[in-house]
């Protein structure tokens, strides 16, 4: 009598699925299919999930599991057991991309540590939407989440960011917006450009742009409501370097093995000067040993 062959189970997958941040029409076909076909849908708020599914005209096919910041650690083992057994688990939050200032980060870390497949169904993001609409530089940015609630902790946290040169993106509750903008004006300077993005993709979407001090006064005078994202321009270098200083930095980097064009591009971007002018100055100042060989 032959011994039966045991076929090993193929792991399923954990999927982080983005949900609309306001406009239901932003839901992807991929999200709809996942909600209908997944074995488990782990939701930050199960009532909101069912409301979204109803608006989308989708019948959730699998088990719905409550999965939020207060139970993510204990529920992760249950979620990953489903994945390890070959099932598909979809993680959704109330709005936007899971794991970005929302539940999801811990279960992804646990899945990676266990060697289980993790993927995403990308979609709406309040961070990227606000950044794109702010009118501020988008080539380099950082996301700082919610500032601390206590005034002293908030002031210290913002002071640490006062020299940050990248555009900064924050979340904030409407009832703390005026105090936070005032604290930002103190830490970053009253004239630092910023934008308050409210109710993104919704009927009453509003983008208010201006210096931090003006935005703080506006928020203090009006009762601002809704979901808020604050985008703040990065710090401008206090001491402007001379062309000679910039050229010296470029040549030093080129001497260290970096391509001249790459060094020029990075130094010019950091200093806020035209690449073409800096490249011409660097070529003119190059010692013979750095000069390109004749063709």
């Amino acid at each position: 009598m032959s011994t039966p062959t045991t076929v090993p189970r193929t792991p399923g997958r954990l999927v982080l699925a983005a949900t609309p941040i306001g406009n239901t029409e932003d839901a992807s076909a991929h999200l709809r299919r996942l909600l209908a076909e997944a074995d488990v849908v782990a939701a930050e708020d199960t009532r909101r999930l069912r409301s979204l599914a109803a608006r989308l005209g989708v019948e959730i096919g699998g088990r719905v599991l409550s999965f939020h910041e207060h139970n993510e650690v204990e529920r992760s083992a249950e979620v990953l057991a489903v994945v390890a057994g070959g099932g598909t688990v979809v993680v959704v939050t109330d709005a936007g991309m899971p794991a970005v200032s929302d539940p999801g980060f811990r279960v992804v870390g646990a899945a990676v540590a266990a060697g289980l497949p993790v993927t995403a169904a990308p979609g709406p993001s309040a961070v990227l939407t606000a950044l794109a609409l702010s009118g501020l530089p988008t080539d380099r940015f950082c996301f700082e989440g919610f500032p601390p609630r206590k005034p002293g902790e908030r002031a210290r946290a913002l002071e640490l960011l006062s020299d940050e040169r990248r555009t900064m993106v924050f979340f904030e509750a409407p009832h703390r917006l005026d105090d936070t903008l005032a604290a930002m004006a103190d830490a970053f300077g009253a004239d630092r450009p910023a934008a308050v993005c409210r109710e993104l993709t919704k009927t009453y979407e509003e983008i208010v742009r201006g210096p931090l001090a003006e935005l703080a006064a506006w928020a203090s005078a009006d009762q601002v409501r809704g979901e808020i994202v604050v985008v703040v321009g990065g710090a401008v270098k206090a001491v402007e370097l001379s062309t000679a200083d910039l050229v010296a930095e470029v040549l030093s980097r080129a001497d260290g093995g970096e391509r001249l064009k790459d060094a020029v591009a990075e130094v010019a971007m950091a200093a806020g000067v035209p690449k073409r002018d800096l490249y011409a100055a660097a070529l003119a100042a190059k010692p013979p040993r750095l000069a390109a060989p004749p063709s």
Side-chain angles (χ1 to χ4, degrees):
M1 182 175 179
S2 61
T3 303
T5 303
T6 301
V7 179
R9 285 184 174 181
T10 302
R13 57 180 181 153
L14 179 71
V15 186
L16 302 181
T19 55
I21 60 176
N23 191 333
T24 304
E25 293 180 356
D26 292 335
S28 68
H30 193 182
L31 172 65
R32 288 179 165 88
R33 180 169 58 80
L34 286 168
L35 294 180
E37 298 178 359
D39 298 288
V40 174
V41 180
E44 183 178 11
D45 186 319
T46 58
R47 291 172 299 179
R48 290 196 180 189
L49 167 65
R50 294 188 189 282
S51 174
L52 173 64
R55 296 197 305 275
L56 295 176
V58 173
E59 183 176 348
I60 299 174
R63 179 163 59 99
V64 175
L65 181 70
S66 174
F67 191 81
H68 48 73
E69 61 177 328
H70 301 298
N71 70 5
E72 181 177 359
V73 173
E74 61 189 71
R75 283 283 167 87
S76 290
E78 181 179 352
V79 163
L80 296 186
V82 174
V83 176
T88 295
V89 177
V90 176
V91 176
V92 295
T93 58
D94 293 346
M97 193 71 192
V100 180
S101 197
D102 269 332
F105 167 75
R106 293 178 180 85
V107 72
V108 168
V112 171
L116 295 173
V118 182
T119 188
S125 164
V127 174
L128 296 181
T129 302
L131 180 68
L133 295 178
S134 69
L136 296 168
T138 59
D139 53 340
R140 299 177 68 237
F141 70 94
C142 58
F143 174 57
E144 293 294 329
F146 284 91
R149 297 183 181 187
K150 295 182 179 179
E153 294 178 5
R154 179 172 56 211
R156 287 189 290 272
L158 294 176
E159 183 61 33
L160 291 174
L161 293 170
S162 60
D163 292 328
E164 174 59 65
R165 300 190 66 194
R166 295 172 294 181
T167 299
M168 296 171 282
V169 184
F170 300 84
F171 288 163
E172 189 51 289
H175 63 277
R176 290 194 295 270
L177 180 62
D178 54 347
D179 289 337
T180 294
L181 289 171
M184 287 178 172
D186 289 339
F188 303 151
D191 294 331
R192 181 78 70 91
V196 174
C197 306
R198 186 180 73 85
E199 295 290 85
L200 290 169
T201 77
K202 299 179 183 178
T203 302
Y204 298 104
E205 176 180 285
E206 181 180 25
I207 315 296
V208 183
R209 306 174 182 87
L212 279 170
E214 290 184 11
L215 292 177
W218 162 77
S220 180
D222 293 338
Q223 187 177 4
V224 182
R225 297 178 179 178
E227 301 290 331
I228 304 291
V229 185
V230 179
V231 186
V232 182
V236 177
K237 213 167 190 177
V239 179
E240 296 294 336
L241 296 176
S242 67
T243 301
D245 291 330
L246 298 177
V247 168
E249 183 177 351
V250 167
L251 295 183
S252 175
R253 292 171 70 151
D255 193 41
E258 191 172 347
R259 287 202 327 161
L260 186 64
K261 286 187 176 181
D262 293 339
V264 166
E266 291 194 14
V267 173
M269 178 181 293
V273 300
K275 286 190 296 184
R276 179 180 300 178
D277 295 347
L278 182 58
Y279 186 70
L283 283 178
K286 274 199 312 184
R289 62 189 180 88
L290 289 177
S295 57

